[in-house]
């Protein structure tokens, strides 16, 4: 049900989605969907949380893996960015951002989801610095900066803005990440 809701929201946006249209897609009744979700905002939040749960598992596996920190960071960037225009997961994020400013429960849920990405990126940067692959003195600050950049790049890709595509966004993200995390300075004799 959540996968179909995610697809429907990505296709036409939450404002255009009716519970009866979603119910028809699912072969059930609008009342049945309202019983479980209560509102479109709740449906949006549940669909996004469901989508993000799978990515959380993937991120945690990435952090626990044996790959080099630079490789882990590159995989993190690829995981974060949208697949292309109208990526369903990213369309849910855009819908959430549009509603969160005036809706405290949605804002709190957004904060929770954002904290997961932030914490995992901080852990990755800290790990990379401990292994002398990165030169980061403020993992929280650098993670926040990189995530903000990724959000901007992602928004351009998912909205299909002129000149914005996944390949270019990934190249920009890699370049920015390299500048933000640096490399340890070596002293030669």
């Amino acid at each position: 049900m959540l996968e179909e809701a995610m697809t429907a929201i990505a296709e036409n946006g939450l404002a255009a989605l009716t519970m009866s249209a979603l119910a028809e897609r699912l072969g059930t009744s609008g009342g049945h969907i309202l019983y479980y979700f209560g509102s479109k905002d709740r449906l949006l939040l549940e669909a996004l949380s469901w989508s993000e749960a799978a990515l959380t598992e993937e991120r945690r596996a990435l952090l626990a893996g044996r790959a080099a920190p630079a490789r882990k960071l590159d995989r993190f960037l690829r995981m974060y960015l949208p697949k292309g225009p109208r990526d369903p997961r990213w369309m849910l994020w855009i819908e959430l951002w549009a509603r969160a400013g005036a809706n405290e429960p949605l804002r709190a849920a957004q904060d929770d989801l954002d904290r997961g990405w932030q914490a995992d990126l901080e852990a990755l940067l800290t790990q990379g610095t401990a292994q002398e692959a990165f030169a980061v003195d403020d993992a929280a600050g650098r993670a926040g900066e990189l995530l903000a950049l990724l959000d901007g790049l992602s928004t351009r890709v998912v909205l299909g803005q002129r000149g914005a595509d996944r390949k270019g966004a990934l190249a920009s993200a890699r370049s920015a990440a390299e500048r933000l995390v640096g490399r340890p300075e070596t002293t030669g004799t």
Side-chain angles (χ1 to χ4, degrees):
M1 184 181 290
L2 292 172
E3 184 174 10
E4 191 62 35
M6 189 165 109
T7 301
I9 293 167
E11 287 173 0
N12 301 309
L14 192 62
L17 179 69
T18 65
M19 294 299 191
S20 61
L22 179 59
E24 187 174 318
R25 287 175 79 138
L26 293 168
T28 190
S29 70
H32 184 75
I33 293 172
L34 280 173
Y35 174 78
Y36 284 103
F37 300 107
S39 70
K40 284 199 250 184
D41 282 348
R42 187 71 188 163
L43 176 64
L44 167 66
L45 185 55
E46 291 295 329
L48 183 57
S49 295
W50 170 78
S51 170
E52 289 294 317
L55 281 174
T56 298
E57 288 179 28
E58 193 176 338
R59 282 194 325 265
R60 301 286 158 76
L62 169 68
L63 290 173
R66 299 177 56 91
R71 186 167 174 83
K72 287 180 180 182
L73 180 57
D74 192 69
R75 286 183 54 206
F76 185 98
L77 299 175
R78 287 184 282 137
M79 187 184 309
Y80 197 94
L81 292 168
K83 306 285 186 238
R86 302 203 61 81
D87 177 294
R89 179 178 67 94
W90 270 95
M91 293 303 295
L92 293 177
W93 272 105
I94 289 172
E95 291 284 350
L96 179 66
W97 290 338
R99 289 173 160 60
N103 184 316
E104 183 55 39
L106 288 181
R107 186 173 32 252
Q110 175 194 339
D111 287 345
D112 285 343
L113 293 170
D114 284 341
R115 265 193 298 278
W117 284 99
Q118 175 80 24
D120 288 347
L121 184 53
E122 283 179 38
L124 175 55
L125 297 180
T126 299
Q127 178 186 57
T129 300
Q131 294 177 9
E132 298 183 351
F134 305 142
V136 175
D137 59 350
D138 176 13
R142 290 299 142 296
E145 290 173 5
L146 188 52
L147 290 171
L149 174 87
L150 290 170
D151 285 344
L153 291 170
S154 296
T155 301
R156 291 179 49 80
V157 170
V158 81
L159 294 177
Q161 291 183 337
R162 187 175 50 119
D165 61 14
R166 180 178 168 82
K167 184 178 177 181
L170 184 56
S172 294
R174 285 172 171 156
S175 175
E178 187 173 322
R179 286 191 305 276
L180 286 171
V181 303
R183 297 283 182 249
E185 290 186 29
T186 57
T187 56
T189 51

